[in-house]
Amino acid sequence: MTEFIPPGTCFLDLPSPFPMKRGGALHGARVAYETWGVLNASRDNAILIVTGLSPDAHAASNAGNREPGWWEPMLGPGKPIDSDRWFVICVNSLGSCKGSTGPASINPQTGHLYRLDFPDLSVEDGADAAAHVVRELGIERLACIIGNSMGGMTALAFLLRHPGLARSHINISGAARALPFSIAIRSLQREAIRLDPNWNHGQYDDERYPESGMRMARKLGVITYRSALEWDGRFGRVRLDSDRAEDDPFGLEFEVESYLEGHARRFVRRYDPNCYLYLSRSMDWFDVGEYCADRAGNPGDTDTRAGLAAIHVEKALAIGVQTDILFPLQQQEEIADGLRAGGAQSEFLPLPSPQGHDAFLVDIARFGPAVAGFLERL
Amino acid sequence: MTEFIPPGTCFLDLPSPFPMKRGGALHGARVAYETWGVLNASRDNAILIVTGLSPDAHAASNAGNREPGWWEPMLGPGKPIDSDRWFVICVNSLGSCKGSTGPASINPQTGHLYRLDFPDLSVEDGADAAAHVVRELGIERLACIIGNSMGGMTALAFLLRHPGLARSHINISGAARALPFSIAIRSLQREAIRLDPNWNHGQYDDERYPESGMRMARKLGVITYRSALEWDGRFGRVRLDSDRAEDDPFGLEFEVESYLEGHARRFVRRYDPNCYLYLSRSMDWFDVGEYCADRAGNPGDTDTRAGLAAIHVEKALAIGVQTDILFPLQQQEEIADGLRAGGAQSEFLPLPSPQGHDAFLVDIARFGPAVAGFLERL
């Protein structure tokens, strides 16, 4: 099975065993990361970026890899996250297939791929792995932790479990807990993969690969990452050039269908299906309120606000987008309010981007100044 | 194959042949319908209801069938659509499997089910069939045509193709054309069915039935009919009582997943997969602007507003819901504006229902007074 690690990726070993939140431990596991800029002598100019489900650690071009990264317009010299000022680290999520240890990695205890033998993966495990990287790089306190989408969950878990390790926080299109609507969508994506006979309880290979299931899951993802209004402007009702095939009466006809198909094709063989299942489920499980309830000794009770108020940072910014149906705007407002209750100087910034959940990747005209402004005032 | 026709359903034969908009014709076809109330002597108190994709003609209990219908709180004596005053007709859509002729009906020319031999189905064909029922019942002019969801499209097609056949119109969560976002969702639903090996290019039976594909399609439907905020209040993060099965590590865990599963199970064997494909695709094709362009002789050009302005009714009301992601609120505003441009006294009513596209079925507290108020002022 192929791994999908960009050139120039760095690696750090995790402590072995590395205990997992829901039980079990990893042995000989590692985290993939990349960096931009230089850590100053007082080691107080470091920023950590934690990502959504699918990105690798290559957020932008750097010395090790000149190819553009997934957040290229946002990160680099003179850009909103200015690598002339900041030392920036981006980690690949634990459980991913882009360099960090995950279900598509070899289990050193068996010599075979983990597949479904990988222990239950929680967002908190990814946060702990990221915190280990930060400390190993000699950083006692981050200037800021920035988390997008799933990374917004990871950042909150990081702040809860590693108090004092970050001075400030930018949460972008993130959430303090998974909503049932988002759980429903992710559950359906996982069902599409699991229903594909080629998934075979995780025992697929390159020849017998759950391609249809992954295609369905990715298409549903792309639909929920965007918004109705944006697509109307982009695609309207434009038809494909070619006529419908006579032998496929329900085949592709509209440009938007072909766009989805192209997105899915690019993804299905570039992301490991088992890793997708594990990371997807980790988001469903996430709930900062549960963390707080654990502390209070009432595990059945969760209180999102109390969980957020248990986080202590100096400054925080939660940015969201009105057209986001997957992590709706109310969730970023909840984060901003909760962090304020914990003592932070905390701001909620709703943006009118039409691009939905993915706006932070494309609407740099709005997100760039918001992020740059916060970092400048640090 | 089973048909799913409620007891007490009435039938009217369509002219044979019945020409279809995109070519071909039906022979010996029929439309299922039900009625409430009494047609008065001047035959001017008739209301027609055209429905969404899945409902049958049994909108509410009546003399022929005492079971509650799908719009029970809205229709009946003393209810918002008051059958003490109005003679109400609800037709089952042409192409459905609930009584009207569709792909699950027998093709009289072969003696076998139509399946994929059914001609291309357009929303306009359903409108023509409904208009035939209205005329056959001796009605020269409806007091009002009410269309919900897909029925909102059917009603607009009805008004365009049968000028003068209705005095007024209520469009509920409808659209003047399919948006690419909605096309993408429906395309994915159709793909789920088509990918199921048991679909077998439409040649399934009760033993080899595309159950998984229909389940996926229905779950995706139910997700897009509702909204994130409503489900948070309903389900929150409540877990199912039973523990996760050891042998199904990605099985159902949250109540919302079990809710979706229940919905899907009830639907899968109660709706014909080929009918689903045909009606779903008919919505993607719908565009009142195209109709207008056809007239203007520029078939590549469509102009939604001009299409709507070609409709002439005395009064119109377009109701929509802010949380609707499938037929977003802007589409109902577009309808109200377009009908006003055509000379109607036209009102746009956005409602703050949290229930998304399906709000008209459940938020009777808001929809009831809106519909009743409009009808009272007729």
Side-chain angles (χ1 to χ4, degrees):
Chain A
M1 206 127 35
T2 335
E3 285 191 80
F4 312 101
I5 308 167
T9 302
C10 307
F11 297 95
L12 254 172
D13 289 336
L14 289 174
S16 189
F18 178 80
M20 303 287 274
K21 180 185 176 239
R22 293 175 63 104
L26 297 178
H27 297 266
R30 67 179 190 178
V31 175
Y33 70 98
E34 293 194 24
T35 67
W36 296 259
V38 179
L39 186 63
N40 63 17
S42 48
R43 297 171 182 264
D44 64 1
N45 72 328
I47 290 176
L48 173 68
I49 298 172
V50 280
T51 80
L53 186 152
S54 57
D56 52 36
H58 190 59
S61 54
N62 54 14
N65 181 356
R66 293 289 170 200
E67 289 293 310
W70 56 265
W71 223 10
E72 188 69 26
M74 191 63 109
L75 168 59
K79 293 185 181 172
I81 304 172
D82 186 352
S83 56
D84 287 339
R85 176 178 175 195
W86 305 106
F87 173 64
V88 183
I89 311 154
C90 180
V91 294
N92 176 238
S93 304
L94 190 71
S96 165
C97 56
K98 309 262 183 173
S100 294
T101 299
S105 307
I106 287 174
N107 178 351
Q109 296 184 309
T110 65
H112 300 295
L113 299 182
Y114 277 107
R115 302 181 188 270
L116 303 195
D117 290 336
F118 200 79
D120 277 359
L121 178 73
S122 303
V123 166
E124 285 84 345
D125 302 318
D128 290 351
H132 179 77
V133 172
V134 169
R135 292 195 182 99
E136 284 295 301
L137 293 177
I139 296 155
E140 284 176 16
R141 196 162 198 220
L142 291 167
C144 189
I145 177 168
I146 302 175
N148 305 323
S149 184
M150 182 185 84
M153 294 175 160
T154 310
L156 294 175
F158 180 105
L159 294 168
L160 270 167
R161 294 165 74 88
H162 304 278
L165 197 50
R167 267 183 65 207
S168 77
H169 172 41
I170 303 177
N171 198 295
I172 297 180
S173 301
R177 68 192 164 104
L179 289 180
F181 191 79
S182 317
I183 291 173
I185 288 166
R186 285 192 291 262
S187 174
L188 196 55
Q189 292 175 304
R190 294 194 298 271
E191 187 168 351
I193 295 170
R194 292 160 56 221
L195 274 176
D196 188 324
N198 282 346
W199 178 60
N200 191 25
H201 295 271
Q203 301 288 325
Y204 47 84
D205 58 30
D206 284 345
E207 274 68 54
R208 291 185 55 82
Y209 186 90
E211 185 139 353
S212 305
M214 283 293 280
R215 194 165 70 232
M216 292 289 297
R218 180 59 172 176
K219 285 187 179 181
L220 180 51
V222 172
I223 289 173
T224 57
Y225 300 155
R226 296 293 181 146
S227 86
L229 292 188
E230 185 215 353
W231 280 8
D232 193 25
R234 270 174 86 176
F235 303 112
R237 296 183 43 78
V238 176
R239 254 65 168 201
L240 295 173
D241 287 338
S242 53
D243 286 329
R244 272 194 302 155
E246 276 297 314
D247 58 345
D248 188 7
F250 293 96
L252 307 186
E253 180 174 350
F254 290 91
E255 197 167 275
V256 66
E257 294 177 282
S258 151
Y259 165 83
L260 275 185
E261 183 70 23
H263 254 281
R265 282 213 184 131
R266 282 193 297 281
F267 184 78
V268 291
R269 292 280 182 169
R270 303 282 301 165
Y271 207 90
D272 178 74
N274 288 335
C275 292
Y276 192 93
L277 293 174
Y278 270 82
L279 279 166
S280 165
R281 189 181 50 178
S282 78
M283 278 190 270
D284 289 2
W285 282 335
F286 186 66
D287 181 358
V288 298
E290 184 187 77
Y291 182 81
C292 186
D294 285 350
R295 283 184 156 182
N298 301 311
D301 252 15
T302 80
D303 180 337
T304 312
R305 194 183 171 79
L308 286 166
I311 293 173
H312 306 297
V313 287
E314 292 173 15
K315 294 185 71 173
L317 171 65
I319 313 178
V321 160
Q322 255 145 1
T323 48
D324 189 343
I325 56 174
L326 201 58
F327 287 67
L329 197 55
Q330 289 81 355
Q331 295 207 283
Q332 292 88 52
E333 187 166 23
E334 181 179 58
I335 290 170
D337 289 349
L339 296 179
R340 192 177 304 116
Q345 184 190 329
S346 176
E347 193 190 343
F348 166 53
L349 180 62
L351 292 178
S353 309
Q355 294 97 340
H357 184 63
D358 264 0
F360 67 90
L361 293 174
V362 285
D363 189 3
I364 304 300
R366 288 195 177 89
F367 279 84
V371 169
F374 181 88
L375 295 178
E376 276 160 19
R377 291 190 299 273
L378 277 188
Chain B
M1 206 125 37
T2 335
E3 285 192 82
F4 313 101
I5 309 167
T9 302
C10 306
F11 297 95
L12 254 171
D13 289 336
L14 289 174
S16 188
F18 178 80
M20 302 287 274
K21 178 182 177 242
R22 294 175 62 105
L26 298 177
H27 297 266
R30 67 179 189 179
V31 175
Y33 71 99
E34 293 193 25
T35 67
W36 297 258
V38 180
L39 187 62
N40 63 16
S42 48
R43 298 172 180 263
D44 63 1
N45 71 328
I47 290 177
L48 173 68
I49 297 173
V50 280
T51 79
L53 186 152
S54 57
D56 52 37
H58 190 58
S61 54
N62 54 14
N65 181 355
R66 292 289 171 201
E67 290 294 309
W70 55 264
W71 223 10
E72 188 69 24
M74 191 64 110
L75 168 58
K79 293 185 181 171
I81 304 172
D82 186 353
S83 56
D84 286 339
R85 175 178 175 195
W86 304 106
F87 174 63
V88 183
I89 311 152
C90 180
V91 295
N92 176 236
S93 304
L94 190 71
S96 165
C97 56
K98 309 264 182 171
S100 294
T101 299
S105 306
I106 288 173
N107 178 353
Q109 296 184 310
T110 65
H112 300 294
L113 299 182
Y114 277 108
R115 302 181 187 269
L116 304 195
D117 290 336
F118 200 79
D120 277 359
L121 178 74
S122 303
V123 166
E124 285 85 344
D125 302 319
D128 291 351
H132 179 77
V133 172
V134 169
R135 291 196 183 97
E136 285 293 301
L137 293 176
I139 297 155
E140 285 176 17
R141 196 161 198 222
L142 292 166
C144 188
I145 177 169
I146 301 176
N148 305 324
S149 185
M150 181 184 84
M153 294 174 160
T154 310
L156 294 174
F158 180 105
L159 294 167
L160 272 167
R161 296 164 72 88
H162 304 279
L165 197 50
R167 268 181 65 207
S168 76
H169 171 41
I170 303 177
N171 199 294
I172 297 179
S173 303
R177 66 192 164 104
L179 289 181
F181 190 79
S182 317
I183 292 174
I185 288 166
R186 286 191 290 262
S187 174
L188 195 56
Q189 291 175 304
R190 295 194 298 271
E191 187 168 349
I193 295 169
R194 293 159 58 222
L195 275 176
D196 188 323
N198 282 345
W199 178 61
N200 191 24
H201 295 271
Q203 300 290 324
Y204 47 83
D205 58 29
D206 284 345
E207 273 69 55
R208 291 186 54 83
Y209 187 90
E211 186 139 351
S212 306
M214 283 292 279
R215 193 165 70 233
M216 292 288 297
R218 181 59 172 176
K219 285 187 178 181
L220 180 52
V222 172
I223 288 173
T224 56
Y225 300 154
R226 296 292 181 147
S227 85
L229 291 189
E230 184 214 355
W231 279 8
D232 193 25
R234 271 175 85 176
F235 303 112
R237 296 183 44 78
V238 175
R239 254 68 166 197
L240 294 173
D241 286 338
S242 54
D243 286 329
R244 274 195 300 155
E246 276 297 315
D247 58 345
D248 189 7
F250 293 96
L252 307 187
E253 180 174 352
F254 289 92
E255 197 167 276
V256 66
E257 294 177 282
S258 151
Y259 165 83
L260 275 186
E261 183 70 23
H263 254 281
R265 280 209 186 135
R266 282 192 298 280
F267 184 78
V268 162
R269 292 278 183 169
R270 303 281 302 165
Y271 207 91
D272 178 74
N274 289 334
C275 292
Y276 192 95
L277 292 173
Y278 270 82
L279 279 166
S280 165
R281 191 181 49 177
S282 79
M283 278 189 269
D284 289 1
W285 283 335
F286 186 66
D287 181 0
V288 297
E290 183 187 79
Y291 182 82
C292 186
D294 286 351
R295 282 183 157 183
N298 301 310
D301 253 15
T302 79
D303 182 337
T304 312
R305 194 182 169 81
L308 287 166
I311 293 172
H312 306 297
V313 286
E314 292 172 15
K315 294 184 70 172
L317 171 65
I319 313 178
V321 160
Q322 255 145 0
T323 47
D324 189 342
I325 56 174
L326 201 57
F327 286 67
L329 197 55
Q330 289 80 354
Q331 296 206 282
Q332 292 89 52
E333 186 166 24
E334 180 178 58
I335 290 170
D337 290 349
L339 295 179
R340 192 176 304 116
Q345 183 190 330
S346 176
E347 194 190 341
F348 166 54
L349 181 61
L351 292 179
S353 308
Q355 294 96 341
H357 184 64
D358 264 1
F360 66 91
L361 293 173
V362 285
D363 190 4
I364 304 301
R366 288 195 176 90
F367 279 84
V371 168
F374 180 88
L375 295 178
E376 276 160 19
R377 291 189 299 272
L378 277 188

